[in-house]
Amino acid sequence: MLSGEDYLSAVAIRASRNKGKLYTAPIGPINAMVANMYAGAGAALGQIHFCLVAATVPEINAFVVKDFSSHAAQHARQATNGVKGMGTLIVTLAGLVSPVVQPDAIPAATAKPELDFGAEKRPVVVDLSTGQVHMFTGTKFVGLVMQRAIRKRAQMLFPPPAEAEADLRDNPRPVIPPA
């Protein structure tokens, strides 16, 4: 079974491929890996700031998912260039990785995300023991094209553990500096 740190290394590889600025930062009580990525979505849609925040924890439950996601979204708002809601959408991908995932964590990760004036948080739960990645994969009525772009980016950055293992075999691990 892949360790949490190894999985985070694979996520860092994928984030750096997408021109993510990698660093570590305290997110609530957890020291996490952060990657800031900007994507122009076209003149009509403005710019999307993806803030990937990921950490490994001993156990994941619904409270941990919601709490970590809230702290990650707060960090993303503070780290964003541009004016939120005025051409810049902030999408926080808050990923938690663990070999122990309680059943109540899955609905917390797969619930439809709320839009909060130019910001959206998307929790992701990676269960290393089952090899599953849990996140919202549906569509929302508002911004259908943008929602597809967000879902595609989230699925690319948080691969199933088997794919992450292959990434580690084929690529050097990036060094993640402190904030």
Side-chain angles (χ1 to χ4, degrees):
M1 178 170 63
L2 196 63
S3 75
E5 292 302 321
D6 286 341
Y7 185 87
L8 289 181
S9 292
V11 171
I13 290 166
R14 287 173 175 238
S16 63
R17 276 190 215 145
N18 280 272
K19 299 180 175 92
K21 179 186 171 215
L22 296 168
Y23 58 96
T24 57
I27 305 297
I30 300 170
N31 201 29
M33 175 188 73
V34 180
N36 288 312
M37 296 162 276
Y38 293 90
L45 296 175
Q47 179 172 304
I48 301 175
H49 170 215
F50 287 96
C51 185
L52 176 147
V53 182
T56 183
V57 293
E59 183 176 329
I60 304 172
N61 61 35
F63 173 79
V64 172
V65 170
K66 292 174 186 174
D67 187 58
F68 182 75
S69 297
S70 293
H71 286 291
Q74 182 179 20
H75 178 82
R77 282 190 295 276
Q78 293 169 350
T80 299
N81 296 327
V83 180
K84 178 178 77 158
M86 303 301 243
T88 300
L89 172 67
I90 302 169
V91 177
T92 306
L93 303 173
L96 289 167
V97 181
S98 180
V100 180
V101 176
Q102 297 301 322
D104 66 341
I106 296 168
T110 58
K112 185 184 276 189
E114 297 173 12
L115 187 61
D116 176 28
F117 183 67
E120 183 172 302
K121 61 184 169 190
R122 297 259 180 143
V124 178
V125 169
V126 179
D127 187 339
L128 296 173
S129 63
T130 65
Q132 298 287 324
V133 178
H134 304 282
M135 68 178 82
F136 177 73
T137 58
T139 56
K140 293 168 51 175
F141 182 70
V142 177
L144 189 60
V145 173
M146 194 176 328
Q147 294 300 315
R148 285 188 196 136
I150 294 168
R151 181 179 63 238
K152 184 178 176 182
R153 179 73 59 110
Q155 289 173 328
M156 184 274 304
L157 290 168
F158 289 99
E163 281 183 40
E165 223 168 347
D167 283 351
L168 290 174
R169 280 193 306 270
D170 302 335
N171 297 287
R173 297 176 191 221
V175 175
I176 304 168

